[in-house]
Amino acid sequence: MRWFYCPPEVMNMQPSVLKEGILYHLDYPVVFSSMVDVWGCSRWSLEEWASFFGDKQLSLRIGKQEENAAGPQWETENVTVSATVRQLLDWAAGRPGKRRLSQDEPSPLASYRPHTHWAYYAYKHIPQEFGDSPYAAAKLGIDWSMFGFPGRGAEQSTLWLGTPGAHTLCHRDTYGLNLVTQLVGRKRWTLFPPSDGPRLYPTRVPYEESTVFSAANLRRPDFNKFPDLVSTRPHIVELTAGETLLVPRHWWHLVENLETSVSINTWIELPCDAEARLQEALVRTMVARLPADAASARLLLNDPLEECWPLDACLSALQQSAAALSLPPAPTPPRDRRAFWATYRAWPGNRRVPACPPTALLRPEVQTAQTASAASSPDPVVSPRLGSPESAASPPAGLGVREVYLALAEAVTDPQTMAAAAEAFKRALRRRGGVQIL
């Protein structure tokens, strides 16, 4: 596995050809340059982003810079504050934390320090943040047509804005692929091929829709506690302003801000997603059935502010995903794999970057500490292996909601287990005469 750097000459490739490559041929991460220069926001500075947002209050997630090797920093460990982009930038730069409209009122970020905390305005769907405002969409000028997706713009895009240290935990998306453009600053992406999944200690605890997390803290990995990490093949790239990264389907990724940065992404649906959506709907329905009350349910969620799914909504999603499987497959356009690769490899200046050794995950200070403690470390404590009897066995009576879900969720991280569950569900539908019974 490898990923490529594609120079500005990439623009010589026809969007329809590039789309074919993205959907059917490029099964490893690729970085494209100078593809979004026509976007209205492509060259905005942080000051211009602050002007664009104006006095709009953003919901910022605040986390700690210090990492714990015992496990990831889940969103339930963060706090949420409301502030403007101007206040965020002043705070990150160490400028006096005062609101511009009232110098007597302290900034909502005044209780934190940028050298001990980070702030993240993350995973914000642009239509939800700005409504149907044609002004906002037009000013941003987001247009994914150069990648072969005409008509896909701000309405299908998500915005990320954060300070150094802000990060997205290592995870994989259960369906779709990801195109992400860096607009301001730098981000470090650490990616792992799908084949590394079992060695990344996958878990659905805490639960987030269409997301499988790694139970290991990949920002401060502990190879003693998680020994299988030494067999992984991380691919690391620093994404800079003007570059777009293709994250293929089921590639695991950890994303960290190296500077105050802004990025925008879009998730592309794939024809092969129907089965994965059915499996995800089964998991969501299981989550909805377990909690006895809303307070218990929130113990299971990665985002404490996320609304718990009502059972009726879960059953509706299950019905829709099952119905999609019963539809005839959409006709696929003719594809010429040889022609695509001949065109793709003709781009001059491609830079191939090899996979890194697992030790590349460690920062220098962490490497020293782990080497010193390796001899005195106790036996590794790891989660049950996928598909093992202890992970799939029925939980004993008397356990609480979280313990019951923990036992079940470890089982559903096994792709074979979920594939078998989906097949059993489809057989039951056929016996009962179709999906209408839901």
Side-chain angles (χ1 to χ4, degrees):
M1 294 289 182
R2 68 280 189 207
W3 58 267
F4 288 93
Y5 173 83
C6 297
E9 289 82 358
V10 71
M11 298 185 70
N12 295 329
M13 175 170 273
Q14 292 294 325
S16 59
V17 177
L18 182 55
K19 177 181 180 180
E20 178 183 323
I22 289 172
L23 292 180
Y24 303 109
H25 304 311
L26 294 171
D27 56 358
Y28 48 82
V30 176
V31 176
F32 305 104
S33 283
S34 302
M35 295 285 286
V36 299
D37 290 348
V38 297
W39 290 13
C41 59
S42 65
R43 301 186 187 278
W44 285 2
S45 65
L46 289 173
E47 294 293 329
E48 288 172 298
W49 279 102
S51 298
F52 173 74
F53 278 94
D55 294 330
K56 179 180 175 61
Q57 293 288 312
L58 309 185
S59 177
L60 301 175
R61 186 158 50 90
I62 309 297
K64 296 180 179 179
Q65 296 281 7
E66 182 180 357
E67 287 292 330
N68 181 1
Q73 187 177 159
W74 303 109
E75 290 189 24
T76 51
E77 302 172 39
N78 303 153
V79 297
T80 303
V81 302
S82 294
T84 65
V85 173
R86 167 56 53 205
Q87 290 169 333
L88 173 65
L89 298 182
D90 286 346
W91 174 78
R95 293 190 285 265
K98 299 288 185 179
R99 292 183 187 266
R100 287 201 160 191
L101 298 180
S102 173
Q103 292 296 322
D104 297 327
E105 187 176 359
S107 165
L109 295 165
S111 301
Y112 309 98
R113 295 292 179 267
H115 66 278
T116 59
H117 292 80
W118 47 261
Y120 212 5
Y121 176 70
Y123 195 17
K124 302 300 181 182
H125 291 283
I126 293 175
Q128 295 178 2
E129 294 299 297
F130 296 96
D132 297 326
S133 170
Y135 167 78
K139 194 166 180 64
L140 290 169
I142 300 169
D143 181 6
W144 299 98
S145 63
M146 286 300 299
F147 298 90
F149 301 96
R152 182 175 289 264
E155 295 77 10
Q156 296 82 24
S157 300
T158 305
L159 183 65
W160 311 72
L161 190 159
T163 61
H167 60 277
T168 303
L169 298 173
C170 185
H171 69 283
R172 74 164 174 86
D173 302 315
T174 54
Y175 36 75
L177 59 82
N178 190 1
L179 283 171
V180 55
T181 294
Q182 190 69 20
L183 296 171
V184 180
R186 296 181 298 128
K187 274 188 176 180
R188 178 190 291 119
W189 282 75
T190 304
L191 304 108
F192 301 86
S195 57
D196 277 350
R199 293 180 283 275
L200 290 170
Y201 300 87
T203 181
R204 296 307 297 260
V205 179
Y207 172 78
E208 184 173 303
E209 198 274 333
S210 73
T211 302
V212 181
F213 289 107
S214 169
N217 181 2
L218 273 297
R219 297 186 73 224
R220 190 182 176 91
D222 186 337
F223 292 117
N224 298 310
K225 185 174 181 180
F226 301 101
D228 288 354
L229 293 178
V230 300
S231 301
T232 60
R233 295 173 295 163
H235 295 57
I236 301 175
V237 57
E238 289 188 7
L239 206 63
T240 60
E243 295 181 331
T244 300
L245 174 67
L246 164 65
V247 182
R249 185 175 189 263
H250 284 181
W251 272 72
W252 293 75
H253 45 286
L254 162 72
V255 192
E256 178 183 3
N257 283 5
L258 302 178
E259 303 170 345
T260 298
S261 70
V262 181
S263 54
I264 288 177
N265 82 296
T266 187
W267 281 280
I268 307 295
E269 303 81 7
L270 295 172
C272 56
D273 285 340
E275 185 78 21
R277 289 184 183 277
L278 174 59
Q279 295 180 14
E280 189 62 32
L282 287 169
V283 175
R284 184 190 301 147
T285 304
M286 181 189 73
V287 174
R289 289 301 303 270
L290 283 173
D293 54 64
S296 298
R298 284 189 171 82
L299 295 176
L300 310 176
L301 302 177
N302 181 48
D303 182 358
L305 301 179
E306 183 178 340
E307 292 296 326
C308 304
W309 278 68
L311 180 58
D312 289 346
C314 292
L315 293 177
S316 176
L318 195 59
Q319 180 180 16
Q320 292 175 16
S321 59
L325 278 175
S326 65
L327 297 174
T332 58
R335 301 194 296 272
D336 187 339
R337 187 177 180 87
R338 289 186 178 181
F340 168 77
W341 284 111
T343 306
Y344 181 78
R345 289 169 178 152
W347 292 341
N350 285 345
R351 179 168 61 92
R352 183 180 299 184
V353 179
C356 304
T359 51
L361 298 171
L362 293 175
R363 293 161 183 162
E365 66 274 13
V366 180
Q367 281 187 344
T368 303
Q370 288 212 2
T371 302
S373 64
S376 59
S377 295
D379 292 337
V381 179
V382 298
S383 58
R385 305 309 304 145
L386 300 183
S388 65
E390 58 265 39
S391 71
S394 299
L399 291 180
V401 168
R402 184 174 178 83
E403 287 73 21
V404 172
Y405 177 65
L406 178 62
L408 291 173
E410 289 298 338
V412 303
T413 55
D414 183 359
Q416 293 182 344
T417 300
M418 284 313 301
E423 287 301 318
F425 178 75
K426 287 186 285 186
R427 287 196 298 271
L429 284 180
R430 288 194 291 268
R431 286 197 302 271
R432 294 173 181 269
V435 299
Q436 289 76 18
I437 55 95
L438 296 176

